[in-house]
Amino acid sequence: RGGTYFSFRKYSDLMKIQKEVIIVGAGLTGAITASYIKARFPQYRIKMIHTSTLPPYQGAQGVSSELYDYFYNLYRTHVGRGVRIENLLNRSQGTYRVGTMYQEWTKAPYLHTVLAPYKHCYDELISKRHYPQDFTPSVLWQNKIPIRWFEELGNRLWRSFHLRTSTLIELFLSDLPFYQIQIIDDKITDCKKNNKGEITHLIGKDKIYHGDIFLDCSGEHRVLINQFDTSYFNSWEDQLINNQTITWTTPPTFNLWTLAERIPEGYHSTVPLRDKDEHTYVFSDKFSGEITSKAKAQYGISSTFKQGYMTESWNKNCIALGEASFCIESLDSPFIGTLLKQLDLMSKFLPSEDRSTYAQHYECLMQNIFTFTTASYQTQKNDSAYWKHVENIKPNYTLQSLLDKAQLRLLTSLDFPSPCRVFGHEDFIIKFYALHLFNQESIKKEYAGVVPWKQWDNTALLTRHYRNQKSLPSVSHEEILKGIKDK
């Protein structure tokens, strides 16, 4: 009885800590942020302000497992339970995703996969000079899915998808009124601060909005965070030179992966949906050539962007999130995963308003996605003006440190001490090996020092996996999707 009373009193005290949260922007960032804040802090009162005259966001993207985990473990909406993920796939014409397929970046294509069944055997795979294709089940390269995997795990193996972005936004926004989150159609014209530099209220065309916490989810406009002199955009353009995209669509291919195909001016990204494939050229306007010039004439420029992140993204009582906080090309589909990591980080330090600790981990998060993206460009190819320029770009300190370690040994989790990251040592191992960045003789010597019984276990595990791949009945990705649609 005492424990129950204490818990009730503690909950009552918690409910007294009410704050007014104002979110500016109702795109994907704003919609996810509103649901996340309400799930973590149900006592907060939330208002979302957006401008309905802005054109709706089009396109598709690869969605990482972090969003599925959020649905399943935290958000618990009608798509939160694994079996109902089929509804989301059907609504958005979505497909399953196993990772990003890189073509022409090195001698052979390689798959940076979100499934890592052989992650405990990477040392043996590398020391025995296996092909990068051997890091993932061969059946996936044929766009097939083993039936047993799909049935036994109840779809929970497949936590990564290709989804239409507008459908994701609609999904989140449709649930907000249920959680008593106000969605207000207005345009912010001014921002007022007190003598401490904190935002007190926002002035819209129709109303004035008072709040305690202000979340900037306005994308590249950065309506709120730009009001602070100490917050500025730290550009990555000296290392990540791409700044333009061209987008178009073609009939569907039903691939299991996001395609990243290297071209003379940058790369060609393809996100497969059921009704069509979404294609994007990502390139630098300084090195526009024949391929992108023809695409410009036919489709026009889809968007111009500048890669980097906001320093002091949490300034006073204002926090920039999503594209208002960072911008990076979607080479490995890091956006939603990074946003959810950022939201999780914010929720840990929001009650205490510990901005300095947040800033430290936020910096680690930004460096993680930046380092992993720049690692993809270590191709050792210089067959065009663009790639000659990229080859001469000096790696940043973190990447150079990892490259140096790769000459001595296999990368480990100890090389990534910060828990605030999207990409870990297993992700870097796949990429480094495919791009020939490891010293294989050093890896071979290192593996030779492993106790024999561990080597035997690795060999037995790999042999069993490869044997099972050949015997498992499989179904094409397209047939699986048709079966889901029929349900």
Side-chain angles (χ1 to χ4, degrees), residues 369-434:
I369 60 170
F370 170 63
T371 301
F372 191 73
T373 304
T374 53
S376 300
Y377 289 93
Q378 306 298 309
T379 61
Q380 303 171 32
K381 289 195 172 185
N382 57 0
D383 49 3
S384 68
Y386 174 94
W387 289 100
K388 286 179 181 177
H389 178 83
V390 169
E391 186 183 41
N392 292 325
I393 295 176
K394 186 178 179 181
N396 66 80
Y397 175 80
T398 305
L399 178 57
Q400 186 60 60
S401 175
L402 294 174
L403 291 171
D404 293 340
K405 291 172 183 175
Q407 295 301 304
L408 300 174
R409 56 172 173 79
L410 201 65
L411 301 178
T412 72
S413 58
L414 298 176
D415 297 319
F416 303 84
S418 173
C420 195
R421 60 178 182 266
V422 176
F423 303 107
H425 70 287
E426 293 157 356
D427 301 293
F428 279 89
I429 286 174
I430 293 176
K431 190 173 293 292
F432 275 31
Y433 183 57

Side-chain angles (χ1 to χ4, degrees), residues 80-313:
R81 292 161 178 81
V83 67
R84 296 294 180 87
I85 204 71
E86 298 165 351
N87 296 340
L88 176 59
L89 287 171
N90 287 335
R91 285 177 59 181
S92 66
Q93 294 292 309
T95 61
Y96 289 98
R97 176 176 180 267
V98 297
T100 302
M101 177 72 75
Y102 287 83
Q103 291 186 356
E104 304 298 331
W105 296 73
T106 184
K107 294 180 180 179
Y110 71 94
L111 180 62
H112 171 235
T113 180
V114 295
L115 305 174
Y118 312 143
K119 60 184 179 182
H120 301 299
C121 307
Y122 286 164
D123 48 359
E124 176 170 342
L125 287 167
I126 294 175
S127 65
K128 294 185 177 179
R129 297 182 182 275
H130 281 258
Y131 291 107
Q133 292 92 321
D134 295 332
F135 280 59
T136 49
S138 58
V139 67
L140 301 179
W141 287 69
Q142 303 164 15
N143 270 318
K144 292 183 178 180
I145 299 174
I147 298 174
R148 196 179 75 184
W149 292 6
F150 202 83
E151 292 177 346
E152 288 183 358
L153 296 175
N155 299 358
R156 290 192 64 183
L157 173 68
W158 304 99
R159 302 187 303 169
S160 186
F161 312 94
H162 298 110
L163 300 174
R164 184 163 280 116
T165 307
S166 57
T167 305
L168 271 178
I169 297 173
E170 292 170 4
L171 170 70
F172 280 102
L173 291 180
S174 65
D175 278 346
L176 297 188
F178 176 79
Y179 293 105
Q180 299 179 341
I181 297 175
Q182 296 184 49
I183 306 175
I184 303 168
D185 186 359
D186 200 355
K187 183 177 181 180
I188 301 301
T189 59
D190 201 2
C191 172
K192 298 298 182 181
K193 294 185 281 189
N194 58 22
N195 55 9
K196 296 181 180 179
E198 299 173 335
I199 298 176
T200 56
H201 59 278
L202 305 176
I203 300 176
K205 283 189 174 182
D206 300 329
K207 287 184 178 180
I208 296 176
Y209 306 96
H210 294 268
D212 302 305
I213 302 169
F214 296 84
L215 303 180
D216 191 345
C217 302
S218 61
E220 60 185 8
H221 302 291
R222 301 184 177 92
V223 172
L224 302 183
I225 199 66
N226 278 344
Q227 302 294 323
F228 297 90
D229 296 334
T230 54
S231 294
Y232 66 91
F233 190 78
N234 187 0
S235 176
W236 288 329
E237 61 183 356
D238 58 333
Q239 297 234 333
L240 296 175
I241 62 175
N242 294 328
N243 60 2
Q244 287 189 355
T245 62
I246 299 172
T247 305
W248 73 99
T249 61
T250 61
T253 57
F254 298 99
N255 284 331
L256 272 169
W257 51 76
T258 310
L259 177 64
E261 181 184 11
R262 195 181 68 95
I263 61 173
E265 297 99 286
Y267 64 91
H268 169 202
S269 175
T270 305
V271 179
L273 296 176
R274 292 189 208 177
D275 55 345
K276 59 185 177 182
D277 283 2
E278 297 272 356
H279 298 268
T280 305
Y281 281 148
V282 183
F283 61 100
S284 168
D285 58 355
K286 295 179 181 178
F287 297 95
S288 182
E290 182 180 356
I291 295 177
T292 51
S293 295
K294 287 182 179 179
K296 284 180 185 178
Q298 186 171 359
Y299 305 110
I301 296 293
S302 298
S303 67
T304 300
F305 60 97
K306 186 177 180 180
Q307 303 193 71
Y309 69 103
M310 291 296 296
T311 60
E312 288 200 50
S313 62

